[in-house]
Amino acid sequence: MSKSTTTPTPREDVYSRVTARIVADLEQGTRPWLKPWSVTHTAGRITRPLRANGQPYRGMNVLLLWGEAVANGYSAPIWMTYKQAQELGAQVKKGEHGALVVYADRFTKTETNEKGEAFEREIPFMKGYTVFNVEQIDGLPAHYYAQPAQPLPAAQRIETAERFAVSTGAEVRHGGNRAFYAPARDFVQMPPFEAFKDPESYYATLTHELTHWTGHVSRCARDFEKGHRFGSEGYAFEELIAELGAAFLCADLGITPEPREDHAAYLAHWLQVLKADKRAIFTAAAHAQRAADYLHGLQAASQPPEIQAAA
């Protein structure tokens, strides 16, 4: 069978193309949001992808550009449009292909009801556009090609992560051999610190549980997991949100996460959710970003500048 060259419609390309790529990774047993922490990337500073003006990307675009960076071996975190490169007197290299990022917004449409009365309705929309990594571009000012800053010393990163967790005000209990959030009693349960193979694994797990903690009705008010047993779509969707939220927070904190062994069981459930709804990964990423923003918003004003900037 010959490969189709049919161009997808704008609506189909954004949701279906992105979901298909995430599904393909999951079917191979790989969680794409953990790819940036492969051996080849841990030498540099773990960061969210950055726009040309230095502002970090958020939500779904973080996952999209992390995936592109790893797939193509880019170590530079900065991305820009073709036009932005031209405005800087630079040129995208011949034959280079850009990466998809998405933009969501709303527009107002005036409609008429059955009584002939005019009213305004807000309609959400999403469109995709193309960006290039600076390694695909010639002639940019030198600072765009600077090597990523080396990560803070491990002890300093761990201290920052501990301060971040404490500043949330969440009740964190220690003991046993399971990590979980108990919604009814509103606390996070963690195994003893010494039970983890290294401090970063502890804080990667803790950020996952703190993302669950944000779902309480008094915080971000998510109820996907409520009343659902393990293996259900609601349960799996909340776990996906927590996975993504932890990935975002770990990038902000400079922590290198490792896959939790118990989460291998979720791969099939996530595939079921994503295949059933092509918008699910976008919705999960949006909730994860909202959770990360909430946790950042709880931090004291004395938090280090690099953490404040990621909020």
Side-chain angles (χ1 to χ4, degrees):
M1 182 182 293
S2 61
K3 186 176 180 180
S4 173
T5 56
T6 303
T7 302
T9 63
R11 184 174 298 277
E12 186 242 349
D13 64 8
V14 174
Y15 293 109
S16 298
R17 283 169 52 199
V18 171
T19 298
R21 192 168 80 183
I22 300 291
V23 165
D25 283 330
L26 291 176
E27 287 179 334
Q28 295 298 315
T30 301
R31 274 163 276 183
W33 47 89
L34 291 183
K35 280 184 177 180
W37 293 277
S38 62
V39 173
T40 57
H41 282 70
T42 53
R45 181 179 183 273
I46 298 169
T47 180
R48 295 192 188 218
L50 304 175
R51 294 184 172 84
N53 62 4
Q55 290 297 310
Y57 282 93
R58 294 162 52 83
M60 191 66 219
N61 286 328
V62 176
L63 305 184
L64 291 173
L65 295 180
W66 272 346
E68 288 289 334
V70 174
N72 294 285
Y74 303 138
S75 59
I78 306 172
W79 302 77
M80 64 182 66
T81 65
Y82 189 93
K83 182 179 179 181
Q84 287 172 327
Q86 285 191 317
E87 290 173 347
L88 290 167
Q91 181 63 46
V92 174
K93 298 174 184 177
K94 186 176 181 180
E96 293 287 348
H97 296 282
L100 172 70
V101 291
V102 295
Y103 172 75
D105 204 346
R106 296 173 179 269
F107 69 90
T108 302
K109 182 179 180 181
T110 301
E111 297 184 351
T112 304
N113 62 22
E114 62 277 6
K115 296 180 180 180
E117 300 169 334
F119 69 97
E120 292 187 342
R121 182 163 66 98
E122 280 197 342
I123 301 175
F125 71 91
M126 179 172 288
K127 64 179 181 179
Y129 63 98
T130 302
V131 294
F132 297 86
N133 188 273
V134 294
E135 294 179 18
Q136 299 176 279
I137 304 170
D138 286 328
L140 288 169
H143 69 271
Y144 284 102
Y145 303 113
Q147 290 297 310
Q150 288 300 305
L152 295 170
Q156 192 171 342
R157 294 202 304 274
I158 297 308
E159 180 183 343
T160 298
E162 176 64 21
R163 190 162 58 245
F164 182 92
V166 170
S167 295
T168 66
E171 180 182 355
V172 180
R173 303 179 183 181
H174 292 85
N177 59 4
R178 293 176 55 225
F180 60 88
Y181 167 61
R185 300 175 65 186
D186 195 26
F187 70 86
V188 168
Q189 182 73 40
M190 291 285 290
F193 186 88
E194 298 76 16
F196 291 83
K197 67 178 182 179
D198 54 50
E200 291 198 335
S201 295
Y202 171 86
Y203 288 106
T205 300
L206 181 55
T207 54
H208 178 105
E209 301 306 335
L210 287 173
T211 303
H212 280 312
W213 178 81
T214 67
H216 190 272
V217 65
S218 66
R219 301 179 194 108
C220 296
R222 295 190 308 275
D223 61 357
F224 300 111
E225 191 176 2
K226 185 177 181 180
H228 295 289
R229 67 184 188 282
F230 175 81
S232 68
E233 287 193 11
Y235 193 102
F237 192 69
E238 172 63 22
E239 278 299 319
L240 181 57
I241 292 169
E243 278 265 312
L244 300 182
F248 296 161
L249 291 168
C250 283
D252 297 340
L253 295 166
I255 296 297
T256 305
E258 291 287 344
R260 281 172 52 173
E261 293 181 5
D262 60 335
H263 284 181
Y266 289 104
L267 290 176
H269 301 310
W270 291 334
L271 281 168
Q272 181 181 354
V273 171
L274 268 58
K275 287 180 177 180
D277 180 3
K278 65 183 180 181
R279 301 189 183 204
I281 188 65
F282 292 83
T283 304
H287 281 291
Q289 183 63 66
R290 195 171 299 124
D293 289 345
Y294 183 87
L295 292 169
H296 276 297
L298 297 175
Q299 304 307 299
S302 59
Q303 197 73 280
E306 67 271 17
I307 304 304
Q308 292 183 37

